[in-house]
Amino acid sequence: MKADDRKCRQPDDEAVDDRLGRRTADVELLDRPPVNGKAGRCRRKTRSAEGENVDEVGDYVASELAPYLSSGAIEHRRALVLGIRRSAGRWTISSSDDQELVADIVVIAVSHPAPALPKALLPVLSHPKLVSDPTKAGAFEVIASADRVLIVGNGLTSADVVAALGGRGHYGPIISISRRGLRSRGHPAVVQDPYGDFVSEPITRASELLRHIRQALHAARQQGLDWHPVLDAVRAQGQQIWQALRVVERQRIARLARPYWDAHRFRIAPQVETVLDQAVESGTLGILAASIASASIEGHEIVVDLKERRLGTERIAVDAIVVTTGPAHGNILRSQPFLAALEEAGVLTPCETGLGIACDLHARAVGADGLAERSLFIAGPLARGTFGELMGLPQVTEHAVFVAREVEALLTVDRLPSSASQSA
């Protein structure tokens, strides 16, 4: 396989999706925090006006928490949660340090689940150069400089893998695949204010939302703007947009339009974009709209049958495969034992959109009986099936404040009976 023998094939900025019945506009270096309480300091790469990467959010959060940690108002325990169970109207949390904590209120704020290996790659699970989780330390040490590499997935992680391999001196051919061949887009050269109003008149259908976005894109072009400010407006208004949609419409968006949204919403850093552009230009990197039909080990190689979109099947041989399909949200409740146990007990259920854990508009977990657990909350990205856009730092911060206020309100209600009896 030679990447320079393959063309980088990406769809046009506008694609036709017959299942939605509408023409749709194709609508950060990865640093995944550890899950389940083992995270250290929060760090996020941000850009200065000059385009530099600056670590600032982690320092700010650490400084804000420091007084509460030193006073004992907040206790940070570094341990794995092994189980959460109800007992006499309260919650008992068992952890890997052999301790149990009893709480009146629990907020589940775990991070994204680990990637899931595509079923088609199970026959090559034993190959030493199958990298199923590129976020693990030393994941790329098994890949030699001249190795032919197949990357499964075309999002942010894929872009980071290409950049990371280049930084390690890798010069072998790389092919990166996804079903639609969409590559993550970059940031605008000049920052533009969000453009478009998608909430003044509630939009209740997926096709209607896509039509409004397309119209906004056209209007933006008429004013000399590109797509960035329009998608920024959709992101900023995302939670209001999501709330107006019925569950079935949310499911349609998650199933059909999400790849286009992700390609434009999750943008790669300028430095990484430059690396990708140069790799495509030189023929080292090929980006294809394809999926894996089958895979097998033959000697030291991995032989893969690629099912290319509208082009049939082609067999390639590679030395290494890196899986960058992203978090396995559909399997979130099986990603950790304590979540699985809560699901088996009927306390937690998966979100109907497949984006996380089911909760109501108060962020309370919804159980198998369809009722909300008044003292169990879901915070962060895993609540986005209910709340919509919850991936960016501003939205996650706002949601954290929202959940904190819900907890405060619950504490206030629970204190009222005792206060009333004392005054009597």
Side-chain angles (χ1 to χ4, degrees), residues 126-170:
S126 63
H127 196 280
K129 293 191 178 184
L130 172 65
V131 180
S132 59
D133 187 355
T135 66
K136 290 184 177 180
F140 305 129
E141 292 178 0
V142 298
I143 301 178
S145 299
D147 277 355
R148 301 160 295 175
V149 178
L150 172 66
I151 300 177
V152 184
N154 264 332
L156 288 181
T157 312
S158 173
D160 293 340
V161 168
V162 174
L165 289 175
R168 294 175 58 86
H170 180 267

Side-chain angles (χ1 to χ4, degrees), residues 198-211:
F198 306 96
V199 296
S200 292
E201 297 182 7
I203 299 171
T204 59
R205 296 179 61 85
S207 57
E208 183 184 358
L209 173 61
L210 295 173
R211 184 174 68 252

Side-chain angles (χ1 to χ4, degrees), residues 301-380:
E301 296 181 333
I302 303 175
V303 177
V304 181
D305 288 325
L306 293 180
K307 185 178 180 181
E308 296 192 55
R309 202 174 189 189
R310 303 186 181 93
L311 294 176
T313 302
E314 180 176 356
R315 175 164 292 188
I316 63 171
V318 298
D319 302 298
I321 295 179
V322 183
V323 179
T324 66
T325 51
H329 288 116
N331 198 36
I332 175 61
L333 293 179
R334 293 291 166 183
S335 65
Q336 299 189 56
F338 84 93
L339 292 176
L342 286 172
E343 181 187 24
E344 290 171 3
V347 177
L348 294 181
T349 54
C351 172
E352 292 178 296
T353 62
L355 298 176
I357 301 174
C359 61
D360 67 4
L361 291 174
H362 295 278
R364 299 175 302 188
V366 174
D369 57 4
L371 301 177
E373 292 283 348
R374 70 187 299 270
S375 59
L376 181 63
F377 294 85
I378 309 298

Side-chain angles (χ1 to χ4, degrees), residues 210-327:
L210 295 173
R211 184 174 68 252
H212 274 70
I213 294 174
R214 187 172 68 250
Q215 291 171 345
L217 288 168
H218 177 74
R221 284 193 293 267
Q222 296 294 102
Q223 298 188 30
L225 303 174
D226 60 18
W227 58 267
H228 292 89
V230 176
L231 272 295
D232 288 342
V234 175
R235 174 185 172 185
Q237 301 165 37
Q239 293 194 19
Q240 292 171 275
I241 293 171
W242 198 250
Q243 297 302 315
L245 297 168
R246 295 177 300 161
V247 171
V248 65
E249 298 299 324
R250 297 177 187 179
Q251 291 171 331
R252 296 184 74 196
I253 290 175
R255 186 175 72 254
L256 304 176
R258 181 181 170 191
Y260 299 97
W261 168 253
D262 285 353
H264 292 74
R265 159 65 179 87
F266 300 107
R267 301 166 194 170
I268 53 178
Q271 301 92 329
V272 177
E273 186 176 26
T274 298
V275 171
L276 262 64
D277 289 342
Q278 292 174 346
V280 171
E281 182 75 19
S282 67
T284 304
L285 172 64
I287 299 178
L288 303 177
S291 59
I292 297 177
S294 63
S296 60
I297 299 174
E298 296 187 10
H300 296 293
E301 296 181 333
I302 303 175
V303 177
V304 181
D305 288 325
L306 293 180
K307 185 178 180 181
E308 296 192 55
R309 202 174 189 189
R310 303 186 181 93
L311 294 176
T313 302
E314 180 176 356
R315 175 164 292 188
I316 63 171
V318 298
D319 302 298
I321 295 179
V322 183
V323 179
T324 66
T325 51

Side-chain angles (χ1 to χ4, degrees), residues 1 7 13 32 38 50-51 73 127 131 172 174 185 200 204 212 216 230 250 272 311 340 344 366 386 402-403 418:
M1 176 198 70
K7 294 182 179 180
D13 281 351
R32 181 204 310 275
K38 277 200 168 181
E50 294 75 29
H127 196 280
V131 180
I174 301 173
R185 306 300 181 89
S200 292
T204 59
H212 274 70
V230 176
R250 297 177 187 179
V272 177
L311 294 176
E344 290 171 3
V366 174
T386 297
F402 170 79
V403 173
S418 60

